[in-house]
Amino acid sequence: MREIAAARTVTVADYMAAANAHYYATRDPLGAAGDFTTAPEISQMFGEMVGVWIADLWTRAGGPAFHYVELGPGRGTLAADALRTAARFDCKPQGLHLVETSPALRAAQSARLPDAEHHDEIDSLPDDLPLIVIANEFFDALPVHQYVATKDGWRERIVVRGGNGITAAPDTVPADEAIPPALRDRAEGTIVETAPAAAAVMHQCSARLARQGGAMLAIDYGYCGPATGDTLQAVKAHRFADPFADPGEVDLTAHVDFAALAHAARRPGTNVFGPVDQGVWLQAMGIDARLQTLVAASPERAADLQGQRDRLVAADQMGTLFQAMALTGAGWPQPAGFDSSGEIA
């Protein structure tokens, strides 16, 4: 954040990366006392459906030894719920690996998952066994570059400090080559986002699966591009905030382009499935049957449990805004909830 305070010109991507690095390094942002709540914190059913997905895939793959990997695992809630559920099917990873840089979140993860090994980056993950990689609300926090159409052509948006504080403005350097050809003729003022950092992570994961085998499940809020629009947003205390008003003190995210992620993932030895709506995927995995089981065990919680399910599944809540995409390595079966065309199985 010193760079921004010193008024050094940075791109929107530089700003987002620096702001989020400070933000996540200095707090646990999750839960009622934090700034936002993720699906695993809303309901145990979310992590349990991930566990069912893992166990089903592992069983049909022949029950091989594997490592569980999670990117940006929050407090470890998803991993705890998923692995507990998978263990009911005798599906247990040989190793538990969490890619996390936040000291505060690492502490929370270690308390919940004492056997977990932490990693700063994907490169340090083990290479001796297949990997089953989970990334829930991970890609949305990675920095995006923004470009705006001006009367002189496309320009990257930069972040500058002026008399009215921090704002975004067009740079002076032409950037037409960064824009997908299908979008280059859009009207002045149109904004296009690209996410090379997200593509690089997906490329790394895909390469690992091609070499080692295994699978990946990525769930996030987003769309299938190419598309236009400014999706950079900030959340503080569960309310939307100005992304430029308080750098490093709010959570910055941008919608995920799943078409771009799929493009980065495709390579010989790796298969890509989806995306599909989160709500449809959760229903395919059996969330409604799980809801009935939980209600039968705790009827006094029926309304609360139904509300949790609806928040995850309903079209007017997270059900259609969030998308699920899967990757598999060579020789691994088609994952549950997807068919080869990306539609729900």
Side-chain angles (χ1 to χ4, degrees), residues 11-13 145-148 154-158 169-171 173 175:
T11 66
V12 167
H145 291 265
Q146 290 189 329
Y147 301 89
V148 59
W154 288 91
R155 300 290 187 268
E156 182 158 14
R157 295 182 91 201
I158 58 174
D171 198 359
V173 180

Side-chain angles (χ1 to χ4, degrees), residues 296-322:
S298 303
E300 73 282 2
R301 296 186 60 219
D304 181 47
L305 291 165
Q306 182 69 50
Q308 293 174 14
R309 177 268 181 204
D310 291 346
R311 186 170 174 187
L312 296 173
V313 172
D316 61 349
Q317 299 193 54
M318 297 173 70
T320 56
L321 177 60
F322 281 70

Side-chain angles (χ1 to χ4, degrees), residues 95-115:
L96 172 55
H97 302 270
L98 307 178
V99 180
E100 178 63 70
T101 58
S102 165
L105 290 175
R106 279 192 175 194
Q109 293 155 15
S110 294
R112 183 164 278 143
L113 304 163
D115 296 330

Side-chain angles (χ1 to χ4, degrees), residues 220-240:
D220 230 309
Y221 65 89
Y223 61 96
C224 282
T228 62
D230 178 2
T231 74
L232 180 66
Q233 65 183 36
V235 173
K236 186 175 181 66
H238 302 272
R239 295 179 180 272
F240 289 112

Side-chain angles (χ1 to χ4, degrees), residues 42-49 81 84-85 88 286-306 308-309 312:
I42 292 171
S43 173
Q44 70 185 70
M45 290 182 282
F46 183 85
E48 289 171 346
M49 294 305 99
D81 291 338
R84 183 187 68 252
T85 300
R88 295 174 182 167
I287 191 170
D288 290 326
R290 180 56 175 157
L291 170 64
Q292 295 308 312
T293 299
L294 292 173
V295 168
S298 303
E300 73 282 2
R301 296 186 60 219
D304 181 47
L305 291 165
Q306 182 69 50
Q308 293 174 14
R309 177 268 181 204
L312 296 173

